[in-house]
Amino acid sequence: MIEIRNLTRRYGALTALSGVTADIQRGEVVGLLGHNGAGKTTMMKVLTGYLEPSEGSVRVGGLDVVADRRQVQRRIGYLPENAPLYQEQGVADYLLSMAALRGVPRAARGRAGADAIEAVGLVDRMEQPIGTLSKGLRQRVGLAQAIVHRPDLLILDEPTNGLDPSQIGAIRALVRRLSEHSTVLLSTHILQEVEAVCDRVLVLVGGRLVADGPLRELTRTATLRLSVLGDADVADALEGVAGIDTATPDGPDPELPGFYAWSLSCTDDSELPAPAVARAVQGAGLTLGTLAPARRRLEDAFEDLSRQVTT
């Protein structure tokens, strides 16, 4: 759906993006992460045709964002962090206007607006002037305008900004539903949002793409978490198991009464020896409770990447 090749964007002497290359497939929900000034907003503006690359190319659905700008923009839904809304218009009237601007046929505009209103949970606010809505509800109106024309690509900049916990949950579920017929690119400072809805992460640091891959790869560690019944010395049972460097006791397992937890440091994070560990534990006559790869927090992975690039 998106093909980015050696994308560079400069503002005078400042390079906001440098040599970014990535592919995003149809139906993916991709998180775009980076500190303030990392290049996220510039990248979204290039994707929407608002800015042109200084070097490189970007294609959306096979169309070049420079040469085929209008055609690309018809296929995109965009929710900026602070969506511009006509405060005096009612919600339904505003969405009819947006449907017309997006090229929705006249006969289909009413249905398109109603579907968008229902999707974001604003059915009981259809006739209310936008200016009288709370910040969270106005954010939902902004999301409705982004999806009213059923875009192939949906770009969301801080989509849960100003929403309460129940509304955030609803937006997360909506993003998942939208991914059934749209590719979603989500930029946010709230890393829990990425963990909740994204399959894949792009990380920008100083305008450069420093990570691109499935979320599970970014948070993977070279550690197994193990729990066994009783406080037996698991280290003895694991002696000689290839791929285990150390076995460290963590104390009682808070999730399983009577079980004790262990951290197993492994030699290689790409091939964790979980099957061999399970066989060794059971072969020693111990009752296995849980055995799973340990995951680090996305916040920690993100900060580690940032430090590696800037030091």
Side-chain angles (χ1 to χ4, degrees), residues 91-92 95 111 113-128 133 137 140-141 144:
V91 173
L95 290 175
R111 182 70 266 166
D115 287 346
I117 287 172
E118 183 176 359
V120 301
L122 288 175
V123 173
D124 59 342
R125 308 281 183 160
M126 289 178 61
E127 305 304 323
Q128 188 169 338
L133 299 174
L137 293 177
R140 285 201 263 173
V141 175

Side-chain angles (χ1 to χ4, degrees), residues 37 50 72 80 115 215 219 260:
Y50 183 80
V72 168
D115 287 346
L215 187 59
T219 57
Y260 281 72

Side-chain angles (χ1 to χ4, degrees), residues 150-165:
R150 287 185 166 265
D152 294 326
L153 172 60
L154 183 59
I155 300 176
L156 306 176
D157 190 0
E158 302 289 349
T160 59
N161 183 29
L163 303 186
D164 62 38

Side-chain angles (χ1 to χ4, degrees), residues 7 16-17 28-29 105 130 173 177 183 212 223 225 248 257 262-263 289:
L7 172 60
L17 292 171
E28 281 194 295
V29 181
I130 293 172
R177 292 200 303 273
T183 301
D212 175 6
T223 301
R225 299 291 190 197
T248 305
W262 290 73
S263 292

